[in-house]
């Protein structure tokens, strides 16, 4: 695998199950065992009812585009060759929203509300990112 | 003690600033020293009168409070500093007002001194932007792992959703930058004084689409300072006091995203029809929006003017796009906004330059850009904090 130069996540004791899940092709978030709240980003206990018991639950990996932007400026030298690149905020079917990149689509075709599904991108041996593509496969 | 007992208990007694500029090649302690000295002179105070210092924006872009006290030979009874974000301007002034009202200090210098141009590459969204990668996410929705970096990107996310949700356009947003540039043309301290048109805005390059370069604030160096004093002391000083009549703290939580109001649906916010209802700042000051001579807001990105107008109830959600047309937010309009030219055209001094302008407007010191008979001015932000200033 070519050396990956873009920023990598700072994985903490809280977020480790999330990243391990992605590595194993599961999108998992914490769901409260008491009030059923599902939340992101990872937290020590339920932000709704403060219950300390929760389960890392596998999610559908489907959602829709809530908003999106196109970077025309390279803030990191490691993304210089990818300008212009997209960043989307995807609202999962189960509710929480994730920032991500849309793949398999031209930037000009991105629309708010379009259905998308997860694509697991193994960027290093340790880290897998959650990217998304149009539901049913990309157009390119 | 109910919060409204603090109404008018503290006042701004002096304001001052350094020159603003790109690559001034001056240290942030140097710039801060000039701003503090000018503000003390403006108030008719001396260094020995100053016993409090609150800094909103220190390392690595600005000067820190403790090093300022050391370099300037201050003898402080209290100092405080917030983390290096523009959002804390009102918080600092509120803390100063509380401190002088409670007797912890007599006169508190509140300021930011920044050198953005020197630190731009490593700091604002770039490889050295450690904050973007902090646990829990960046302060403006950054997630560098996916290339989501820089404060403006979160604002672009809000703008895209705003355009879609309400059928507004980038062309309408141009009116904000055009208005502020007109104000800056009347302000000798402003960095950008050449008039611009809607077409100039539309033709300027995208930084983070859908935001154009002309939707973005300046990146510059400079310092601006406000002296907060107990009102009875301020009345004995050189200039007429400008009273701090209302205050409202900075909210936080899962329903907040820094660049918009609750209910908007960015980050983990729920989606609902936001209603500003009763905001404590108006109750404390005993006034309504209708009585404001002007509105000032943190305009790091033009879209924040729309979301601030809606958060503070000057417009219903979705209506700010139309409200900001036809000169309504320009001098002489129904609600002048950021008559200094704002962060977009005067300079980016974390909103401290706006406080200087508000005070000067309420003293009638603004010359060609003076608002006739200015009595009450609100500082109210997209992220939900506010001050109401009243002419003394």
């Amino acid at each position: 695998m070519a050396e990956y130069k873009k920023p990598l996540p700072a994985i903490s004791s809280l977020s480790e199950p999330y990243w391990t899940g992605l590595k194993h092709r599961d999108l998992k978030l914490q769901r409260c065992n008491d009030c059923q709240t599902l939340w992101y980003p990872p937290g020590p206990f339920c932000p709704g009812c403060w219950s300390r018991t929760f389960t890392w639950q596998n999610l559908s990996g489907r959602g829709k585009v809530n908003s999106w932007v196109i970077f025309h400026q390279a803030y990191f030298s490691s993304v210089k060759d990818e300008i212009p690149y997209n960043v989307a905020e995807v609202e999962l079917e189960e509710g929480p929203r994730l920032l991500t990149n849309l793949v398999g689509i031209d930037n000009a075709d991105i629309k708010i509300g379009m259905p998308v599904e997860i694509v697991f991108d193994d960027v290093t041996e340790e880290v897998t990112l959650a990217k998304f593509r149009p539901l049913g496969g990309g157009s390119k | 003690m109910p919060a409204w007992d603090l109404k008018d208990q503290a006042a701004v007694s002096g304001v001052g600033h350094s020159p603003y500029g790109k690559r001034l090649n001056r240290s942030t302690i140097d710039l801060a020293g000039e701003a503090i000295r000018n503000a003390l002179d403006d108030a008719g105070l001396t260094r020995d009168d100053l016993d409090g210092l609150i800094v909103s924006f220190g390392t690595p872009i600005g000067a820190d409070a403790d090093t300022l006290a050391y370099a300037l030979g201050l003898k402080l009874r209290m100092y405080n500093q917030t983390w290096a974000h523009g959002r804390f301007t009102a918080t600092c002034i509120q803390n100063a007002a509380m401190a002088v009202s409670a007797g912890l200090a007599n006169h508190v210098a509140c300021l930011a001194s920044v050198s953005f141009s020197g630190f731009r590459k490593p700091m604002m969204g770039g490889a050295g932007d450690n904050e973007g990668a902090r646990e829990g996410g960046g302060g403006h929705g950054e997630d560098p792992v996916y290339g989501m970096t820089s404060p403006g990107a979160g604002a672009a996310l809000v703008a895209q959703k705003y355009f879609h949700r309400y059928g507004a356009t980038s062309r309408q947003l141009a009116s904000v930058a055009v208005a502020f540039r007109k104000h800056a043309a009347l302000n000798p301290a402003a960095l950008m004084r050449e008039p611009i048109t809607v077409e100039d805005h539309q033709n300027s390059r995208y930084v983070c689409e859908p935001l154009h370069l002309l939707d973005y604030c300046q990146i510059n160096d400079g310092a601006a300072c406000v002296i907060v004093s107990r009102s009875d002391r301020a009345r004995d000083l050189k200039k007429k006091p400008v009273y701090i009549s209302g205050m409202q703290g900075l909210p936080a939580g899962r329903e907040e995203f820094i660049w918009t109001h609750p209910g908007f649906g960015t980050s983990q916010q729920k989606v609902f029809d936001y209603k500003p209802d009763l905001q404590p700042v108006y109750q404390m000051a005993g006034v309504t929006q209708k009585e404001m001579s002007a509105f000032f807001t943190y305009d790091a990105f033009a879209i924040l003017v729309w979301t601030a107008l809606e958060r503070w109830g000057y417009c219903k959600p979705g209506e700010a796009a139309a409200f900001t047309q036809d000169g309504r937010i320009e001098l002489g309009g129904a609600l002048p906004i950021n008559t200094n030219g704002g962060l977009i055209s005067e300079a980016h001094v974390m909103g401290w330059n706006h406080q200087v302008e508000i005070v000067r407007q309420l003293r009638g010191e603004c010359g060609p850009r003076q608002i006739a008979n200015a009595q009450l001015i609100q500082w109210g932000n997209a992220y939900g904090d506010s001050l109401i200033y009243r002419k003394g």
Side-chain angles (χ1 to χ4, degrees):
Chain A
M1 195 178 282
E3 190 188 356
Y4 185 76
K5 291 183 175 164
K6 292 196 278 186
L8 288 165
I11 299 175
S12 71
S13 61
L14 270 179
S15 64
E16 189 273 336
Y18 173 79
W19 293 107
T20 303
L22 292 182
K23 190 173 160 66
H24 294 105
R25 300 295 185 267
D26 290 321
L27 176 63
K28 293 179 172 189
L29 293 180
Q30 293 159 287
R31 187 185 288 282
C32 176
N33 291 352
D34 291 318
C35 78
Q36 310 306 312
T37 293
L38 183 77
W39 70 86
Y40 179 84
F45 41 82
C46 174
C49 73
W50 271 36
S51 168
R52 289 186 168 272
T53 60
F54 55 83
T55 305
W56 281 91
Q57 183 185 317
N58 285 350
L59 305 182
S60 67
R62 289 187 300 272
K64 61 180 184 181
V65 173
N66 186 53
S67 191
W68 54 280
V69 298
I70 305 293
F71 278 78
H72 292 262
Q73 181 161 319
Y75 288 90
F76 290 87
S77 57
S78 53
V79 297
K80 200 172 62 205
D81 296 337
E82 298 181 18
I83 296 292
Y85 66 88
N86 73 66
V87 176
E89 186 176 65
V90 166
E91 182 172 299
L92 300 173
E93 275 184 352
E94 295 86 355
R97 303 191 188 102
L98 306 176
L99 288 166
T100 186
N101 305 121
L102 299 180
V103 298
I105 184 169
D106 285 327
N107 289 341
D109 295 333
I110 300 172
K111 299 268 186 292
I112 287 180
M114 69 189 302
V116 291
E117 63 188 0
I118 195 166
V119 177
F120 298 95
D121 185 358
D122 300 314
V123 296
T124 69
E125 282 182 21
E126 295 79 30
V127 174
T128 300
L129 301 184
K131 297 188 177 173
F132 286 78
R133 66 180 178 191
L135 188 62
S139 61
K140 71 169 193 180
Chain B
M1 182 170 73
W4 44 88
D5 282 1
L6 286 175
K7 177 187 176 186
D8 296 339
Q9 292 303 299
V12 176
S13 57
V15 293
H17 62 88
S18 74
Y20 306 142
K22 308 258 183 189
R23 294 180 181 78
L24 289 176
N25 199 25
R26 286 179 61 181
S27 92
T28 52
I29 290 177
D30 180 23
L31 294 167
E34 182 167 349
I36 293 171
R37 205 175 52 191
N38 287 341
L40 288 171
D41 286 348
D42 185 56
L45 291 167
T46 68
R47 176 178 64 164
D48 292 340
D49 296 315
L50 191 68
D51 54 0
L53 178 66
I54 300 184
V55 169
S56 81
F57 203 99
T59 300
I61 296 178
D64 289 326
D66 61 331
T67 56
L68 277 176
Y70 202 90
L72 306 179
L74 306 179
K75 297 185 183 72
L76 303 177
R77 292 163 64 198
M78 56 85 60
Y79 79 89
N80 195 0
Q81 183 168 324
T82 59
W83 45 293
H85 269 246
R87 70 184 74 165
F88 295 111
T89 314
T91 296
C92 291
I93 292 174
Q94 290 165 8
N95 289 355
M98 290 189 279
V100 299
S101 299
L104 297 182
N106 294 332
H107 304 286
V108 181
C110 304
L111 74 146
S113 172
V114 296
S115 177
F116 270 108
S117 52
F119 287 93
R120 179 184 182 188
K121 284 287 181 197
M123 269 311 298
M124 298 313 286
D129 187 0
N130 293 326
E131 191 199 302
R134 71 181 180 159
E135 186 176 5
H140 321 87
E142 294 93 333
D143 193 346
V145 170
Y146 296 98
M148 182 68 176
T149 176
S150 80
L157 209 59
V158 167
Q160 187 84 268
K161 193 167 168 68
Y162 191 107
F163 295 163
H164 180 264
R165 184 167 171 180
Y166 300 116
T169 63
S170 167
R171 206 177 169 82
Q172 286 178 298
L173 191 57
S175 297
V176 171
V178 169
F180 293 177
R181 187 61 68 88
K182 282 187 191 173
H183 296 164
L186 301 172
N187 177 5
L191 298 183
M192 305 300 279
R193 302 185 65 194
E194 289 293 311
I196 54 168
T197 64
V198 171
E199 296 308 323
D200 292 334
H201 172 276
Q202 292 293 286
N203 292 332
S204 68
R205 69 179 170 89
Y206 285 124
V207 179
C208 191
E209 187 181 343
L211 295 184
H212 290 267
L213 180 65
L214 291 182
D215 291 314
Y216 275 65
C217 57
Q218 296 302 304
I219 293 180
N220 55 257
D221 306 342
C225 176
V226 166
I227 310 284
V228 174
S229 308
R230 210 172 69 198
S231 292
D232 56 343
R233 289 193 169 90
R235 281 192 282 272
D236 296 332
L237 298 176
K238 195 160 96 186
K239 296 280 178 74
K240 273 199 162 184
V242 168
Y243 293 108
I244 300 167
S245 290
M247 313 182 210
Q248 184 167 334
L250 185 56
R254 296 179 78 82
E255 296 308 324
E256 296 291 344
F257 178 70
I258 181 160
W259 299 140
T260 188
H261 49 74
F264 190 79
T266 292
S267 190
Q268 308 304 325
Q269 291 181 314
K270 292 188 178 73
V271 178
F272 58 87
D273 289 326
Y274 170 76
K275 291 186 179 62
D277 294 329
L278 285 178
Q279 299 283 342
V281 71
Y282 302 116
Q283 294 178 288
M284 183 170 169
V287 299
T288 67
Q289 293 93 329
K290 289 191 177 66
E291 295 167 72
M292 296 301 159
S293 307
F295 180 69
F296 280 68
T297 195
Y298 192 86
D299 57 322
F301 313 103
I303 185 71
L304 311 189
V305 175
W306 287 1
T307 53
L309 282 168
E310 294 175 6
R311 182 185 273 264
W312 296 102
Y314 289 93
C315 305
K316 294 196 178 101
E319 294 183 354
F323 180 84
T324 50
Q325 306 306 306
D326 306 320
R328 221 168 272 119
I329 62 169
E330 296 174 15
L331 279 162
L335 184 70
I337 301 181
N338 293 358
T339 57
N340 55 336
L343 304 178
I344 288 178
S345 280
E346 186 190 35
H348 195 333
V349 197
M350 319 318 301
W352 291 96
N353 48 326
H354 297 55
Q355 314 310 307
V356 169
E357 175 80 0
I358 291 168
V359 169
R360 288 177 173 168
Q361 284 286 359
L362 291 171
R363 289 175 177 168
E365 295 176 343
C366 285
R369 62 181 195 284
Q370 180 63 45
I371 298 162
N373 193 28
Q375 299 288 328
L376 280 166
I377 294 180
Q378 181 176 12
W379 169 248
N381 295 310
Y383 38 84
D385 64 349
S386 184
L387 296 166
I388 290 176
Y389 292 95
R390 184 171 67 79
K391 179 183 178 179

